[in-house]
Amino acid sequence: MSSGWLAILSVVLALAAPAAYALLLRVPLVRNHPEGYVVVFAVAVALAALAVVRARNRRWPAWTALALTSLLLIGGAWFNFVGARVPGTPTALRVGERPPDFTLTDASGRAVTLADYRGQKPVVLVFY
């Protein structure tokens, strides 16, 4: 495969990764493992680097592909592993301490707020 086609393939792959992730966001396997698109960015960077190595005369398309895919890899890795992290504040409660108010959906899809049950009866949360 020529360096031009490798460069094009790397850019297409890098641009398709976040689009595919967004389209498949409702699939639990994809949603629960967002590092997949970062792996695809890394493969795109490897293809672009291979394009730079194989380029003979016109190297600028391969270098452009390498720069673009590298930026996407760095940006995607930062967003996935730093920007989108759950805050590091401790949320553990002590026995008898009042929990913060929150709203979740029940099994039938209705919004249920903890404040609706405060003082009425014990509340049991089950995550499935």
Side-chain angles (χ1 to χ4, degrees):
M1 187 176 273
S2 71
S3 69
W5 285 109
L6 282 172
I8 291 170
L9 178 63
S10 70
V11 170
V12 167
L13 194 63
L15 294 177
Y21 180 74
L23 289 173
L24 297 173
L25 198 57
R26 293 188 183 265
V27 178
L29 182 66
V30 174
R31 181 183 60 240
N32 295 338
H33 298 284
E35 64 275 357
Y37 69 88
V38 177
V39 171
V40 175
F41 287 156
V43 170
V45 168
L47 287 174
L50 183 61
V52 168
V53 169
R54 286 190 173 186
R56 300 229 188 276
N57 350 2
R58 293 180 48 209
R59 294 186 133 192
W60 69 266
W63 280 108
T64 304
L66 182 61
L68 177 66
T69 56
S70 296
L71 283 174
L72 285 172
L73 174 63
I74 292 167
W78 179 87
F79 177 77
N80 193 36
F81 300 117
V82 177
R85 277 189 50 206
V86 176
T89 58
T91 56
L93 299 174
R94 291 184 175 82
V95 175
E97 189 176 354
R98 189 176 203 142
D101 193 27
F102 57 86
T103 302
L104 296 172
T105 55
D106 64 2
S108 62
R110 294 179 314 162
V112 178
T113 304
L114 181 62
D116 296 341
Y117 296 98
R118 197 175 303 275
Q120 295 179 6
K121 52 187 164 182
V123 175
V124 176
L125 293 176
V126 177
F127 295 98
Y128 57 94

